[in-house]
Amino acid sequence: MRHTISILVDNEFGVLSRVSGLFSGRGFNIESLCVAETLDPSVSIMTIVTSGNDQVIEQITKQLNKLINVIKVSDLTGTDYVEREMVLIKVATDSTNRAEILRIVDIFRGKIIDVSQRSYTIEITGDEDKIKAILSLLKPFGIKEIVRTGKIAMARTPKT
Amino acid sequence: MKKTGSHIFVESLIREGVEVIFGFPGGAVLPIYNELFDAPIRHVLVRHEQGAVHAADGYARASGRPGVCLVTSGPGATNTVTGIATAYMDSIPVVVFTGQVPTALIGNDAFQEADIVGITRPCTKHNYLVKDVKDLARVVKEAFYIATTGRPGPVLVDLPKDVLTSTTEPRYPEEIRMRSYNPTYKGHIGQIDRAIKLILNSKRPVVYAGGGVVLSSGAEELREFAEKLRLPVTMTLMGLGGFPGTHPLSLGMLGMHGTYSANMAVTHCDVLIAIGSRFDDRVTGKIDEFAPDAKIIHVDIDPTSISKNVVVDIPIVGDVKLVLRDFLKRLEKDGLDLAAYRDSLNKWHKEIEMWKGVHKMDYNQKMRGKIKPQYVVEMLYKLTGGDAIITTEVGQNQMWAAQYYLFNRPRSFLTSGGLGTMGYGFPAAIGAQFAFPERTVIDIAGDGSIQMNIQEMATAVQYRLPVKIAILNNGFLGMVRQWQELFYDRRYSASCMQVAPDFVKLAQSYGAVGLRAMKPREVVSVIEKALSIKDRPVLMDFHVDREESVYPMVPAGAPINKMLLV
């Protein structure tokens, strides 16, 4: 099962290498990884999407906690949280389909950020379902290139 | 007043109470060696950096204090990797300081440069590259703190040469507080109570004690706990000595080459109390048939060890010594009838006695025949009163040492259990001898293993260490040969060492004493002669039966109750 794990780490030299080394060394799988500083420049947040059964996820969480530079590990899956990913999509265009593609981009509240004779580059942000949906709609036109950031996620604040 | 990095470094070590460093100089660490020349810390010059780390490791295992090494950059650092991985697998507190090229040259493929922090990231508990001399004192203190607390482990600190030569106003931190590192020492009382309830309702309990008992200095508490409830106790290779080997409740070692009764007791128990052990594959055999009818209680300081290989019923995260103390306190309360419980185990203990009768550790030494390796170990045991510090190499020598030398005290059996490093024993013996100059220290070795760090003979002679080496010389890589005999149709591929040195002459060439026994009747006198020498190392070359094998043996992939007995 897929899990989204948010890791608070000391912003020290080599931390990214430690965490990814842990995953590869123990045969855990990284589907995506995104990391950056927080408000406190001595602390970063890393968001990793991984998969495995309950026992594997438990081991991953515990092994991450064991790393000296890791301050806190939160497995967001199963809790109330928001997630987003940004994707840049270069789609092939010609005079016959340009309008249609523009319409799709509008519906998904995306932006065109680059234009050429034969392509549009689209910037789109959303949760997993939204990204999947726009990709499946754009595929028939011919997607030339995709770059993704990987998911970032944050727990929702309790409403009461 | 400003001080150089190397001065601050040595001062920080003194403040940590470091008394001895094992090391080997080189360009990148010359500034430190200049400070060490007249510092109140003893430096031991080894002959290979791997020897330095194993020596620091042996020192740490024997004394309980952190072992310290100092090596230079590049090849000096890479030579420590095997030693660091050895300490990592067995959770030994060792701090390794490596020289590094100046910060401006890092990443430039400079002379004697190696990314040792990158290389050792997976096999250290933590590591550091000091980029600014202002951080040096704090990093050294943190390194020792991390190495010695929680689940101990090796820490590496990489020191660029310009950091050592630059100066700053030294500030030595009084205490360490790390927001991201807070080991749990005290066990959850609720879990402890649940565990007690489970044990008191059991009819066939077994304690499975490992290296954690030794690392935590919990041997006293374990003995009291086992005696209070009359629990049979089996030890892992790393736990030997954590419970007295001659105690009536001791089942001996369990696992691949463990005793018949230990393996049978674990297979038939209804409650398994794992204390400071990690369900390693050498112990469990076929995992889904390990202790199949048992509920499992697991006491360990490292949460990642719990339910990693075997799902447990009552996990207790905490330091073994403190948790056992709490167990003992809780057992005092509530008017529990412990005497009645002890009596209720009569049937179980009878069953265990029966297993002990079925098969004991045994060998057949005919006085006119070839020397049996087990006989050598048994004579070492008898002639040292079971009181020496024994280190081993790896393979058959290691297993026979574990089977035939019974340890009653912790920190007396130093062996590379997790990584299984040949060449560990001799330098480790040197480290242990530095920790305890008055005790007898013996490395039980094979003829293959001893050649891996034989150069440390010079170290032992230089510092006049009366370390003994007992080579069980069979001309083979014995354990490999045994597997080839049992599972590969005796195809002895690359396991016969056709050329070997004359070990006696080799020892003598270093200025050590060399002794040889070719016949059983010579064994005792060789050992006695060796034990009488107090001012230099002694190598004993025992020419043993070439094709002797270690039994019992649980073949790989088999459950531990399916042992080969002969």
Side-chain angles (χ1 to χ4, degrees):
Chain A
M1 209 185 102
R2 268 242 209 89
H3 282 249
T4 302
I5 304 184
S6 178
I7 314 168
L8 200 70
V9 298
D10 283 329
N11 188 7
E12 292 271 334
F13 158 77
V15 161
L16 176 57
S17 196
R18 268 186 221 285
V19 174
S20 54
L22 173 70
F23 275 77
S24 68
R26 291 195 179 254
F28 303 138
N29 125 49
I30 300 184
E31 282 191 22
S32 74
L33 190 160
C34 197
V35 59
E37 268 180 37
T38 61
L39 275 179
D40 176 351
S42 73
V43 170
S44 291
I45 287 193
M46 209 178 266
T47 311
I48 296 189
V49 177
T50 179
S51 59
N53 63 24
D54 284 343
Q55 207 183 344
V56 168
I57 299 295
E58 189 185 329
Q59 262 297 295
I60 292 176
T61 319
K62 285 179 178 173
Q63 290 283 357
L64 283 169
N65 265 313
K66 198 171 162 179
L67 290 177
I68 303 283
N69 291 136
V70 168
I71 302 168
K72 183 162 184 244
V73 178
S74 313
D75 182 358
L76 292 170
T77 303
T79 70
D80 215 4
Y81 71 103
V82 288
E83 77 170 26
R84 291 289 180 269
E85 183 175 11
M86 179 186 282
V87 187
L88 301 180
I89 310 166
K90 187 179 283 179
V91 63
T93 59
D94 60 41
S95 50
T96 62
N97 60 27
R98 229 174 250 141
E100 170 81 29
I101 291 174
L102 264 171
R103 242 198 309 272
I104 293 173
V105 172
D106 243 349
I107 292 171
F108 282 87
R109 297 186 307 278
K111 297 201 233 350
I112 308 281
I113 56 173
D114 195 26
V115 174
S116 78
Q117 288 267 343
R118 284 203 248 241
S119 67
Y120 277 153
T121 301
I122 301 164
E123 172 196 311
I124 185 95
T125 304
D127 65 15
E128 190 176 337
D129 290 334
K130 176 175 170 186
I131 305 285
K132 247 200 223 143
I134 194 178
L135 284 176
S136 71
L137 284 172
L138 291 175
K139 248 207 198 93
F141 299 104
I143 295 181
K144 294 175 134 183
E145 208 179 322
I146 286 190
V147 179
R148 306 174 72 139
T149 57
K151 290 210 188 62
I152 52 174
M154 193 185 272
R156 284 186 190 272
T157 31
K159 300 294 183 272
T160 47
Chain B
M1 199 180 100
K2 283 196 173 180
K3 299 282 181 186
T4 62
S6 29
H7 174 98
I8 296 173
F9 172 73
V10 173
E11 180 61 34
S12 302
L13 290 184
I14 294 173
R15 281 160 188 255
E16 289 295 323
V18 173
E19 289 168 345
V20 61
I21 307 182
F22 301 93
F24 197 93
V29 285
L30 284 180
I32 297 181
Y33 273 92
N34 197 41
E35 288 289 330
L36 284 176
F37 188 65
D38 41 18
I41 298 181
R42 191 166 187 199
H43 178 274
V44 176
L45 175 66
V46 298
R47 298 304 190 268
H48 188 287
E49 289 89 351
Q50 181 179 354
V53 189
H54 289 324
D57 177 316
Y59 176 89
R61 287 183 206 230
S63 67
R65 300 167 42 68
V68 183
C69 335
L70 174 64
V71 301
T72 191
S73 63
T78 55
N79 275 343
T80 63
V81 176
T82 301
I84 293 173
T86 305
Y88 183 71
M89 289 294 274
D90 292 338
S91 307
I92 306 300
V94 168
V95 186
V96 178
F97 294 99
T98 55
Q100 181 57 276
V101 301
T103 49
L105 292 178
I106 291 179
N108 244 345
D109 300 319
F111 177 65
Q112 293 200 326
E113 178 190 357
D115 177 15
I116 195 64
V117 163
I119 292 170
T120 56
R121 214 169 260 137
C123 57
T124 45
K125 185 171 174 186
H126 195 57
N127 58 19
Y128 293 90
L129 168 63
V130 180
K131 293 220 197 108
D132 188 333
V133 66
K134 294 194 184 60
D135 297 327
L136 183 53
R138 173 188 57 86
V139 167
V140 172
K141 197 169 174 72
E142 266 181 32
F144 277 88
Y145 177 66
I146 293 172
T148 54
T149 54
R151 179 178 183 176
V155 175
L156 181 139
V157 181
D158 205 14
L159 302 164
K161 195 168 183 182
D162 56 333
V163 170
L164 297 174
T165 51
S166 41
T167 59
T168 184
E169 198 66 55
R171 214 165 283 137
Y172 301 101
E174 283 301 316
E175 56 160 29
I176 299 280
R177 217 174 298 137
M178 299 177 75
R179 69 181 154 194
S180 47
Y181 176 62
N182 280 307
T184 303
Y185 294 105
K186 196 143 164 50
H188 189 274
I189 289 291
Q191 291 291 83
I192 293 175
D193 283 341
R194 283 179 63 209
I196 289 177
K197 190 155 174 242
L198 185 65
I199 298 171
L200 293 177
N201 279 320
S202 71
K203 301 205 172 13
R204 304 188 303 277
V206 172
V207 173
Y208 149 51
V213 174
V214 175
L215 289 170
S216 164
S217 303
E220 255 315 296
E221 286 78 3
L222 176 60
R223 198 180 46 79
E224 219 187 300
F225 176 65
E227 284 174 354
K228 218 181 194 73
L229 296 174
R230 202 182 166 204
L231 303 169
V233 179
T234 179
M235 289 83 72
T236 65
L237 181 70
M238 298 304 296
L240 291 176
F243 187 77
T246 56
H247 196 287
L249 287 173
S250 165
L251 298 170
M253 181 171 76
L254 84 168
M256 184 177 267
H257 291 292
T259 67
Y260 183 78
S261 49
N263 285 337
M264 294 304 281
V266 166
T267 305
H268 294 274
C269 69
D270 61 358
V271 170
L272 184 71
I273 308 158
I275 304 181
S277 46
R278 59 182 174 91
F279 295 87
D280 179 71
D281 58 81
R282 298 288 111 162
V283 161
T284 63
K286 186 159 191 278
I287 261 215
D288 42 10
E289 289 182 50
F290 180 72
D293 306 322
K295 291 256 182 283
I296 303 180
I297 300 166
H298 190 177
V299 180
D300 202 295
I301 197 166
D302 185 354
T304 67
S305 278
I306 297 186
S307 293
K308 179 181 71 172
N309 298 332
V310 171
V311 179
V312 308
D313 299 280
I314 304 183
I316 303 175
V317 176
D319 174 88
V320 164
K321 192 186 183 74
L322 296 179
V323 170
L324 285 177
R325 277 214 194 123
D326 280 342
F327 262 97
L328 291 167
K329 267 196 222 122
R330 301 304 282 176
L331 284 169
E332 302 287 331
K333 294 192 170 171
D334 292 329
L336 300 164
D337 192 351
L338 302 179
Y341 179 70
R342 288 191 291 269
D343 283 335
S344 75
L345 297 180
N346 280 338
K347 185 159 173 251
W348 177 228
H349 279 279
K350 277 214 178 65
E351 206 171 348
I352 290 174
E353 282 310 306
M354 187 267 297
W355 285 320
K356 282 186 178 172
V358 167
H359 184 271
K360 286 202 275 288
M361 290 300 171
D362 210 3
Y363 61 94
N364 189 3
Q365 178 67 74
K366 296 193 172 71
M367 278 300 143
R368 285 185 196 277
K370 302 185 210 163
I371 303 176
K372 292 290 179 183
Q374 303 92 323
Y375 175 66
V376 174
V377 178
E378 199 161 41
M379 288 303 106
L380 286 169
Y381 174 59
K382 291 224 160 68
L383 294 169
T384 55
D387 212 34
I389 295 178
I390 301 290
T391 71
T392 75
E393 305 290 342
V394 170
Q396 295 185 319
N397 57 79
Q398 180 185 37
M399 291 297 109
W400 284 318
Q403 291 176 338
Y404 287 91
Y405 201 108
L406 299 179
F407 297 93
N408 281 337
R409 306 204 248 168
R411 300 189 181 284
S412 299
F413 185 53
L414 318 181
T415 190
S416 170
L419 195 63
T421 309
M422 288 170 68
Y424 169 77
F426 183 29
I430 288 174
Q433 191 79 82
F434 270 102
F436 293 102
E438 300 307 313
R439 281 183 74 181
T440 303
V441 181
I442 307 178
D443 173 29
I444 296 181
D447 46 306
S449 296
I450 194 60
Q451 291 184 68
M452 290 209 169
N453 272 311
I454 191 68
Q455 78 282 344
E456 299 309 318
M457 190 63 88
T459 312
V461 172
Q462 177 170 339
Y463 294 95
R464 302 168 67 80
L465 303 174
V467 173
K468 329 284 175 212
I469 305 176
I471 305 180
L472 307 177
N473 189 345
N474 56 13
F476 277 113
L477 297 175
M479 190 56 93
V480 172
R481 185 211 59 74
Q482 178 171 334
W483 281 58
Q484 289 169 336
E485 173 192 320
L486 292 171
F487 310 120
Y488 292 90
D489 226 17
R490 278 203 138 85
R491 289 153 64 86
Y492 291 164
S493 174
S495 50
C496 179
M497 290 179 289
Q498 280 151 358
V499 171
D502 177 331
F503 286 108
V504 169
K505 283 203 188 129
L506 182 56
Q508 288 166 346
S509 72
Y510 274 103
V513 174
L515 304 168
R516 177 172 288 127
M518 303 289 294
K519 304 200 198 86
R521 287 185 206 284
E522 296 169 350
V523 171
V524 167
S525 52
V526 160
I527 298 176
E528 281 173 339
K529 177 93 206 295
L531 292 174
S532 71
I533 294 167
K534 304 288 185 193
D535 64 344
R536 71 198 66 192
V538 182
L539 183 151
M540 299 173 271
D541 180 18
F542 296 101
H543 283 225
V544 301
D545 192 338
R546 295 196 76 202
E547 286 181 71
E548 189 68 20
S549 291
V550 184
Y551 290 110
M553 177 174 191
V554 178
I560 57 174
N561 59 332
K562 297 276 182 269
M563 296 161 266
L564 300 174
L565 295 176
V566 117

Short mmCIF file of all heavy atoms in Angstrom, two decimals, chain A residues 3 28 30 32 37 59 61 73 78 96 106 108 116 124 127 135 143:
data_model
loop_
_atom_site.label_atom_id
_atom_site.label_comp_id
_atom_site.label_asym_id
_atom_site.label_seq_id
_atom_site.Cartn_x
_atom_site.Cartn_y
_atom_site.Cartn_z
N HIS A 3 2.17 4.89 0.94
CA HIS A 3 2.14 5.77 2.10
C HIS A 3 2.87 7.06 1.82
O HIS A 3 3.92 7.06 1.17
CB HIS A 3 2.79 5.08 3.31
CG HIS A 3 1.92 4.08 3.97
ND1 HIS A 3 1.39 4.26 5.23
CD2 HIS A 3 1.46 2.87 3.55
CE1 HIS A 3 0.66 3.22 5.56
NE2 HIS A 3 0.68 2.36 4.56
N PHE A 28 13.93 -0.50 0.64
CA PHE A 28 12.61 0.15 0.63
C PHE A 28 12.52 0.96 -0.65
O PHE A 28 13.51 1.43 -1.19
CB PHE A 28 12.45 1.10 1.82
CG PHE A 28 12.64 0.45 3.17
CD1 PHE A 28 13.35 1.10 4.16
CD2 PHE A 28 12.11 -0.80 3.44
CE1 PHE A 28 13.52 0.52 5.41
CE2 PHE A 28 12.29 -1.40 4.69
CZ PHE A 28 13.00 -0.72 5.67
N ILE A 30 11.38 4.21 -3.01
CA ILE A 30 10.99 5.62 -3.02
C ILE A 30 10.27 5.90 -4.32
O ILE A 30 10.88 5.85 -5.39
CB ILE A 30 12.21 6.56 -2.96
CG1 ILE A 30 13.02 6.32 -1.68
CG2 ILE A 30 11.77 8.01 -3.03
CD1 ILE A 30 14.18 7.28 -1.51
N SER A 32 8.46 8.88 -4.80
CA SER A 32 8.83 10.26 -5.06
C SER A 32 9.39 10.88 -3.81
O SER A 32 9.16 10.40 -2.71
CB SER A 32 7.63 11.06 -5.56
OG SER A 32 6.75 11.31 -4.49
N GLU A 37 13.76 23.69 2.80
CA GLU A 37 13.77 24.34 4.13
C GLU A 37 12.38 24.73 4.58
O GLU A 37 11.50 24.95 3.76
CB GLU A 37 14.56 25.66 4.01
CG GLU A 37 16.02 25.53 4.34
CD GLU A 37 16.74 26.87 4.21
OE1 GLU A 37 16.14 27.91 4.56
OE2 GLU A 37 17.89 26.86 3.76
N GLN A 59 8.70 -0.65 9.79
CA GLN A 59 10.16 -0.65 9.79
C GLN A 59 10.71 0.65 9.22
O GLN A 59 11.64 1.24 9.77
CB GLN A 59 10.71 -1.81 8.92
CG GLN A 59 11.12 -3.04 9.70
CD GLN A 59 12.26 -2.79 10.66
OE1 GLN A 59 13.38 -2.48 10.27
NE2 GLN A 59 11.99 -2.94 11.95
N THR A 61 9.35 3.61 9.15
CA THR A 61 9.14 4.70 10.11
C THR A 61 10.14 4.61 11.25
O THR A 61 10.75 5.61 11.65
CB THR A 61 7.72 4.64 10.69
OG1 THR A 61 6.82 4.33 9.66
CG2 THR A 61 7.33 5.95 11.32
N VAL A 73 8.90 11.93 12.42
CA VAL A 73 8.39 11.21 11.25
C VAL A 73 6.87 11.12 11.36
O VAL A 73 6.35 10.68 12.38
CB VAL A 73 8.97 9.78 11.20
CG1 VAL A 73 8.41 9.01 10.02
CG2 VAL A 73 10.48 9.82 11.12
N GLY A 78 -3.87 7.69 5.92
CA GLY A 78 -4.82 7.26 6.93
C GLY A 78 -5.23 8.40 7.84
O GLY A 78 -6.17 8.30 8.61
N THR A 96 -4.94 22.26 -35.49
CA THR A 96 -6.25 21.61 -35.29
C THR A 96 -6.59 21.40 -33.83
O THR A 96 -7.77 21.38 -33.46
CB THR A 96 -6.30 20.23 -35.97
OG1 THR A 96 -5.30 19.40 -35.35
CG2 THR A 96 -6.01 20.34 -37.46
N ASP A 106 -7.66 25.17 -19.17
CA ASP A 106 -8.55 26.08 -18.44
C ASP A 106 -9.40 25.35 -17.42
O ASP A 106 -9.54 25.78 -16.28
CB ASP A 106 -9.50 26.73 -19.45
CG ASP A 106 -9.28 28.22 -19.49
OD1 ASP A 106 -8.55 28.73 -18.59
OD2 ASP A 106 -9.81 28.86 -20.40
N PHE A 108 -8.83 22.68 -15.92
CA PHE A 108 -8.05 22.20 -14.79
C PHE A 108 -7.34 23.33 -14.05
O PHE A 108 -6.55 23.10 -13.15
CB PHE A 108 -7.03 21.15 -15.24
CG PHE A 108 -7.64 19.80 -15.46
CD1 PHE A 108 -8.20 19.47 -16.68
CD2 PHE A 108 -7.65 18.87 -14.43
CE1 PHE A 108 -8.77 18.21 -16.88
CE2 PHE A 108 -8.23 17.61 -14.62
CZ PHE A 108 -8.79 17.28 -15.85
N SER A 116 5.51 27.16 -28.43
CA SER A 116 6.36 27.12 -29.64
C SER A 116 5.46 26.75 -30.80
O SER A 116 4.28 26.51 -30.63
CB SER A 116 7.48 26.11 -29.47
OG SER A 116 6.96 24.81 -29.68
N ILE A 124 0.74 22.67 -14.10
CA ILE A 124 -0.50 22.26 -13.43
C ILE A 124 -0.17 21.80 -12.01
O ILE A 124 0.84 21.10 -11.79
CB ILE A 124 -1.22 21.15 -14.23
CG1 ILE A 124 -2.56 20.82 -13.59
CG2 ILE A 124 -0.40 19.90 -14.33
CD1 ILE A 124 -3.67 21.55 -14.19
N ASP A 127 -3.91 17.54 -6.62
CA ASP A 127 -3.69 16.26 -5.95
C ASP A 127 -3.57 15.15 -6.99
O ASP A 127 -3.67 15.40 -8.20
CB ASP A 127 -4.79 15.98 -4.92
CG ASP A 127 -6.16 15.80 -5.57
OD1 ASP A 127 -6.22 15.61 -6.81
OD2 ASP A 127 -7.16 15.86 -4.84
N LEU A 135 -3.55 14.25 -17.27
CA LEU A 135 -2.59 13.50 -18.09
C LEU A 135 -3.33 12.57 -19.05
O LEU A 135 -2.95 12.43 -20.21
CB LEU A 135 -1.63 12.70 -17.21
CG LEU A 135 -0.52 13.52 -16.55
CD1 LEU A 135 0.31 12.64 -15.62
CD2 LEU A 135 0.38 14.16 -17.59
N ILE A 143 2.19 13.58 -25.55
CA ILE A 143 2.97 14.31 -24.53
C ILE A 143 4.43 14.11 -24.85
O ILE A 143 4.92 12.99 -24.94
CB ILE A 143 2.64 13.77 -23.12
CG1 ILE A 143 1.18 14.06 -22.78
CG2 ILE A 143 3.56 14.41 -22.09
CD1 ILE A 143 0.75 13.60 -21.42
#
